Amino acid sequence: TNDELTGNSITIKHNDNSYSIYQSIKDIKVKKGDTVNQGQTLALSGISNIDKDLNNHIYFELVVDGISVNPEEYYDNTL
C-alpha cells in the first residue's frame, strides 16, 4: 500500500495470523498474494514524509493477536 506520511508499505501475513509490516520502502520486489521466505529481499529502504531528515530508513511493526508488540521480544523465537 502507499500512505502519504509513511510511504510505501508491505504487510506480510504469517501462518499463525501474526503480521509483519514494513513501511517507508521503495523498489518493492513482491506483490500481493506472493509467498515469501525468510531472508528474501522484499524491498529497499526509502524515505517517508514523517522523517525526511533520516534519509533512507525503514519502519517495522509486528502485530500478534491483533496487537502491536515490541519486535525485540520475538527475536530468535518462533511465533
Side-chain angles (χ1 to χ4, degrees):
T1 61
N2 186 290
D3 180 88
E4 187 176 318
L5 292 176
T6 59
N8 293 315
S9 70
I10 296 174
T11 300
I12 304 295
K13 179 182 177 188
H14 301 279
N15 290 334
D16 62 356
N17 287 325
S18 62
Y19 297 86
S20 299
I21 303 167
Y22 303 84
Q23 298 174 325
S24 184
I25 56 175
K26 64 181 182 182
D27 297 331
I28 298 170
K29 310 289 184 201
V30 295
K31 63 184 180 315
K32 185 175 182 174
D34 283 355
T35 298
V36 298
N37 298 302
Q38 184 175 353
Q40 180 179 343
T41 300
L42 306 175
L44 301 177
S45 62
I47 299 173
S48 71
N49 285 329
I50 293 176
D51 290 317
K52 289 182 180 179
D53 295 343
L54 292 177
N55 294 318
N56 278 348
H57 63 284
I58 190 168
Y59 294 104
F60 176 73
E61 181 178 1
L62 180 61
V63 178
V64 177
D65 296 326
I67 300 169
S68 293
V69 298
N70 180 350
E72 290 182 349
E73 295 175 9
Y74 292 84
Y75 291 170
D76 297 321
N77 294 316
T78 301
L79 295 176

